[in-house]
Amino acid sequence: MAKISGAVEINRERCKGCNLCVVACPVDVLSLQPKEVNDRGYHFAYAAYPDKCIGCASCALVCPDSCIEVYRVVEK
Amino acid sequence: MNPEDIKRPENKVYSRPELLCDVSMHYCPGCSHGVVHKLVAEVLKEMGVEHNCIAVAPVGCAVFAYNYIGVDWIEAAHGRAPAVATGAKRLNPDRLVFTYQGDGDLAAIGTAETIHAANRGENITIIFINNAIYGMTGGQMAPTTLEGQKTATTPYGRRVDLNGYPLKISNLLAQLDGTCYVTRQSVHTPAAVRKAKAAIRHAFESSYSGHGTSVVEIVSTCNSGWKMSPAKANEWMVEHMFEAYPIGDLKNTVEK
Amino acid sequence: MKEDVKLMKGNEAIAHAAIRYGADGYFGYPITPQSEVLETLEALMPWETTGMVVLQAESEVASINMVYGGASTGKAVMTSSSSPGISLMQEGLSYIAAGELPVLVVNVMRGGPGLGTIHPSQSDYFQAVKGGGHGDYHFIVLAPSTVQEMADFVGLGFDLAFKYRTPAMLLADGVVGQMMEKVVLPPARPRRTEEEIAIQCPWAVTGHSAHRKPNVLTTLELDSAKMEVNNERFQRTYRLIEDNEVRYQEYYTDDADYIFIAFGSIARICLKAIEDAREQGLKIGLIRPITLWPFPSKIIAEMSHKCKGIMVVELNAGQMIEDVRLAVEGRVPVWHYGRMGGIVPNPPEVLDALKSHIDNA
């Protein structure tokens, strides 16, 4: 069976840590940085469990700051 | 597969819209405006009208919309965007002209301009952000504020005996013969975002092709004004806002 | 269309002149005593000939904002109204000044304050020449005294507005608006093409941004330092206009002992009074400001060195007299004669007023 794998690229400086992508992700890939902040002081989002990503782009769709890019491959 | 191996240009399925300017928006974290801006930018580019478009910005949080979507913009006085758009469209009838307005701008101070532009059937699209509050000035009551909702000017909750009822202006606009498409959408989930984008595209196409005024109300959150986290604000919106402002098409006279 | 001699009202002349100038749009709302402007335009249907857009708006608030939207795209757009309607437009007029938009606004003044009267007045002088809305700004203000000038100043107003990228106002009174006179209508010229607009107005929000960066027309600037720079630019334009565009007309000033200063219809009444006075041996002259802003201060100052006294005659309680006094700087007495509420004085009344001031001096 084909396996779908995805990956996200998050612009950490544009991210405002609103957490909406974390909530939207159906496979719990994303999380906010618990301690680290970006230049503007936000706990930015990052792929805490990147292997689980299916490249569905749910995170990017709801991101108000358009700081997530999504990649997807179908492995045969 | 290693995520770094997946991140190749040929595998990219979602990127920042080209028409969105390469700047950080001033909106609060989690604000719905950012999502709607993104959808407008995507639709304009997909329609290929970005170089034949005049947009009109409101007074309110979206006053700086002209810094974010890379088309020609006119910044209107508070509430006057539909009149400004009327002037721009009448004198440039082959352009796609749209306004982007909040609830205070559109449904309070600009009610007359909104109703009459729609009643004349101006071939413009109105993108209407309804977050039930005045965000820019610090969270005061809006015409769309819900009964009982606390704001800076209704600290004990909106009382209808004092302040009247939440104004369902899209329902009013749907009654007018000049409107061709009136819809109410939201952007709180990936599915809702997809539907909202389709609605914006249909609205732009309907008015651009001369069918009259189209209105896309986006029931939105103002988590700062509501004093909630963005995720909590979405939940509150679903629970309370959708009852007063149900999602769906209110009127459509143009085949999708 | 060549030059054309007609008999018509001042308000009608404005409509004809606008079409012949090649104006792109008119947005207005009915109000006495200027409704003939909109009525005439609707009857002439210029959208069938020149392509000029004419639209009756839902209010003066809407019409001035339609003007703002249309003018933002580089088009030659105008509106007309009368005093209470012009008050409603003040917000939009301030935005138009801040947006440096070349528009033409016609005010056919009626008596106020409040709903007032529908009869002629000049009581919006302060509002017109000092700004009117919020912020530091000026309109170029032209004061026609004949139906001919009503027609001529439409073109002059638009030309000055585009030359300086600043709004112009035609400040008429109900007499000039309603009066019928012979008028030579200017020859018609075509509206500018899109290409001409793009060259003449590179700032215009045309929507055609393929070969340039997007244009944004905004009056908002939260950075105070930048907002001051904007204001300094406005003020430089105003100084340039003051240096180059002062217009006035002198009558019998060469040998005058006394000077009337009056604008619009009342200047014609003063002229009749002067002719009567000269038959009686009293040498009076008249300075008629054509631009109320920029104000013809220099000629008034010069005159104050030569004459014995100046009487400002206005259809108001005394407004232009303040600018006259600033120019005269106390060198000679400056008197006022004014009627309010829509009353227009006759020449003997004006002359008697001057004589009594002379007797009491």
Side-chain angles (χ1 to χ4, degrees):
Chain A
M1 205 177 100
K3 180 175 179 281
I4 297 171
S5 298
V8 291
E9 181 77 41
I10 298 173
N11 182 336
R12 53 182 275 175
E13 289 307 324
R14 283 278 160 78
C15 176
K16 293 175 185 159
C18 75
N19 204 45
L20 290 179
C21 58
V22 177
V23 174
C25 178
V27 287
D28 298 329
V29 171
L30 302 170
S31 188
L32 296 187
Q33 284 286 353
K35 289 189 179 147
E36 202 184 342
V37 293
N38 62 18
D39 286 356
R40 294 194 295 170
Y42 291 118
H43 292 278
F44 54 92
Y46 75 110
Y49 302 98
D51 295 344
K52 296 205 286 186
C53 182
I54 54 172
C56 70
S58 292
C59 53
L61 279 165
V62 300
C63 174
D65 292 286
S66 297
C67 56
I68 306 177
E69 296 196 321
V70 185
Y71 300 82
R72 183 168 53 202
V73 290
V74 181
E75 294 177 70
K76 300 215 171 98
Chain B
M1 235 178 134
N2 185 326
E4 294 313 310
D5 291 333
I6 301 172
K7 290 179 190 174
R8 294 175 191 279
E10 64 269 26
N11 297 334
K12 194 183 264 191
V13 291
Y14 196 99
S15 36
R16 187 182 169 83
E18 274 178 62
L19 205 55
L20 219 48
C21 304
D22 191 22
V23 292
S24 186
M25 299 190 203
H26 72 286
Y27 299 116
C28 304
C31 176
S32 309
H33 275 303
V35 182
V36 183
H37 281 19
K38 175 169 64 179
L39 298 183
V40 169
E42 284 176 356
V43 171
L44 291 174
K45 186 79 184 173
E46 284 165 20
M47 286 174 68
V49 292
E50 72 273 27
H51 299 311
N52 196 45
C53 168
I54 299 171
V56 183
V59 170
C61 286
V63 66
F64 290 120
Y66 53 75
N67 287 333
Y68 307 138
I69 302 174
V71 297
D72 276 11
W73 283 88
I74 306 169
E75 207 295 300
H78 197 19
R80 314 298 173 225
V84 172
T86 296
K89 179 70 181 181
R90 290 281 179 137
L91 288 158
N92 303 275
D94 65 337
R95 313 297 198 278
L96 186 149
V97 177
F98 74 92
T99 71
Y100 187 107
Q101 303 176 256
D103 41 61
D105 192 86
L106 178 134
I109 196 167
T111 310
E113 287 77 15
T114 304
I115 295 276
H116 283 278
N119 193 53
R120 285 190 302 268
E122 299 293 342
N123 290 309
I124 60 171
T125 297
I126 295 172
I127 306 288
F128 165 36
I129 305 299
N130 176 8
N131 58 15
I133 208 162
Y134 283 73
M136 184 63 115
T137 46
Q140 296 84 6
M141 181 186 68
T144 49
T145 294
L146 301 179
E147 185 177 353
Q149 189 179 347
K150 288 180 181 172
T151 71
T153 49
T154 55
Y156 310 106
R158 179 178 186 154
R159 281 172 52 182
V160 295
D161 60 335
L162 281 179
N163 309 117
Y165 299 89
L167 182 52
K168 291 154 188 160
I169 193 151
S170 293
N171 298 64
L172 265 169
L173 293 167
Q175 297 297 313
L176 303 175
D177 291 336
T179 52
C180 60
Y181 178 52
V182 182
T183 187
R184 198 180 274 127
Q185 302 290 332
S186 68
V187 291
H188 65 301
T189 64
V193 172
R194 287 194 178 92
K195 282 185 198 160
K197 183 178 172 181
I200 290 170
R201 171 125 193 187
H202 183 62
F204 279 166
E205 286 177 344
S206 299
S207 298
Y208 190 38
S209 59
H211 288 86
T213 308
S214 54
V215 182
V216 183
E217 173 178 344
I218 309 282
V219 181
S220 302
T221 61
C222 175
N223 59 76
S224 295
W226 295 0
K227 305 190 193 314
M228 299 172 192
S229 72
K232 180 78 189 150
N234 273 341
E235 288 170 23
W236 193 89
M237 176 179 74
V238 172
E239 199 176 326
H240 297 94
M241 292 277 282
F242 285 3
E243 192 186 328
Y245 306 108
I247 302 300
D249 286 356
L250 295 162
K251 175 184 190 175
N252 182 29
T253 63
V254 187
E255 203 178 325
K256 285 190 189 177
Chain C
M1 282 187 283
K2 287 183 291 198
E3 281 192 352
D4 226 347
V5 184
K6 300 272 187 195
L7 177 72
M8 62 173 65
K9 285 187 177 190
N11 290 336
E12 294 166 344
I14 285 173
H16 284 271
I19 298 169
R20 284 164 173 262
Y21 178 78
D24 296 301
Y26 171 96
F27 300 94
Y29 185 81
I31 181 170
T32 309
Q34 64 76 52
S35 298
E36 294 87 354
V37 181
L38 175 58
E39 289 171 3
T40 305
L41 284 167
E42 295 283 5
L44 291 171
M45 296 199 292
W47 52 91
E48 299 281 349
T49 50
T50 69
M52 180 185 180
V53 169
V54 181
L55 184 65
Q56 179 171 337
E58 66 270 27
S59 68
E60 289 89 347
V61 176
S63 51
I64 196 63
N65 281 284
M66 291 173 186
V67 168
Y68 177 80
S72 295
T73 70
K75 306 278 183 172
V77 192
M78 65 181 290
T79 185
S80 65
S81 188
S82 180
S83 309
I86 297 290
S87 291
L88 265 177
M89 289 184 187
Q90 289 303 329
E91 175 200 45
L93 296 177
S94 172
Y95 279 69
I96 282 168
E100 296 165 275
L101 290 176
V103 310
L104 181 66
V105 177
V106 179
N107 180 2
V108 182
M109 289 178 281
R110 58 189 253 182
L115 197 50
T117 170
I118 59 171
H119 296 119
S121 174
Q122 296 179 324
S123 51
D124 302 346
Y125 176 91
F126 282 149
Q127 186 196 53
V129 307
K130 307 296 181 189
H134 59 284
D136 278 327
Y137 71 89
H138 286 289
F139 274 51
I140 296 172
V141 182
L142 301 168
S145 69
T146 61
V147 173
Q148 185 63 54
E149 284 186 338
M150 287 289 257
D152 293 346
F153 290 0
V154 169
L156 177 63
F158 267 128
D159 285 345
L160 291 173
F162 275 93
K163 181 177 178 185
Y164 293 98
R165 208 189 144 180
T166 199
M169 179 177 278
L170 211 158
L171 190 70
D173 55 61
V175 176
V176 191
Q178 291 296 326
M179 181 169 58
M180 289 185 89
E181 273 187 320
K182 186 184 90 171
V183 56
V184 182
L185 293 173
R189 52 181 231 182
R191 291 168 54 232
R192 291 164 305 151
T193 62
E194 299 271 345
E195 292 71 27
E196 286 167 340
I197 289 172
I199 293 165
Q200 185 186 17
C201 309
W203 47 266
V205 181
T206 60
H208 288 166
S209 55
H211 304 293
R212 57 164 168 78
K213 282 186 179 170
N215 279 338
V216 174
L217 199 298
T218 180
T219 64
L220 177 66
E221 181 49 73
L222 291 184
D223 181 336
S224 295
K226 288 182 183 168
M227 195 62 213
E228 187 172 48
V229 168
N230 287 352
N231 269 279
E232 285 165 353
R233 187 176 67 251
F234 305 155
Q235 294 302 320
R236 277 197 302 277
T237 302
Y238 300 149
R239 297 298 88 76
L240 204 60
I241 294 168
E242 284 175 331
D243 289 345
N244 294 294
E245 303 300 344
V246 172
R247 285 170 167 77
Y248 58 88
Q249 203 160 5
E250 293 177 71
Y251 307 82
Y252 304 107
T253 50
D254 287 348
D255 62 345
D257 290 324
Y258 297 95
I259 298 288
F260 285 146
I261 301 180
F263 68 96
S265 63
I266 195 74
R268 299 171 67 161
I269 291 161
C270 289
L271 202 53
K272 176 65 179 148
I274 289 168
E275 284 159 5
D276 294 347
R278 284 190 173 254
E279 283 175 15
Q280 300 164 27
L282 186 58
K283 289 177 185 169
I284 311 172
L286 168 68
I287 294 173
R288 176 173 75 90
I290 291 172
T291 52
L292 299 178
W293 194 90
F295 193 68
S297 305
K298 206 172 143 205
I299 181 67
I300 292 170
E302 283 169 16
M303 207 55 68
S304 69
H305 286 283
K306 299 193 286 190
C307 71
K308 296 176 186 169
I310 290 173
M311 189 169 88
V312 182
V313 189
E314 303 177 78
L315 298 180
N316 61 41
Q319 298 193 15
M320 183 171 69
I321 188 173
E322 294 195 1
D323 288 326
V324 172
R325 282 188 168 139
L326 285 172
V328 170
E329 293 182 307
R331 281 180 286 269
V332 290
V334 178
W335 306 300
H336 188 262
Y337 186 69
R339 296 297 303 265
M340 294 168 282
I343 301 291
V344 180
N346 58 28
E349 189 182 337
V350 172
L351 192 53
D352 286 349
L354 177 65
K355 283 178 180 169
S356 83
H357 281 306
I358 294 171
D359 290 345
N360 294 330

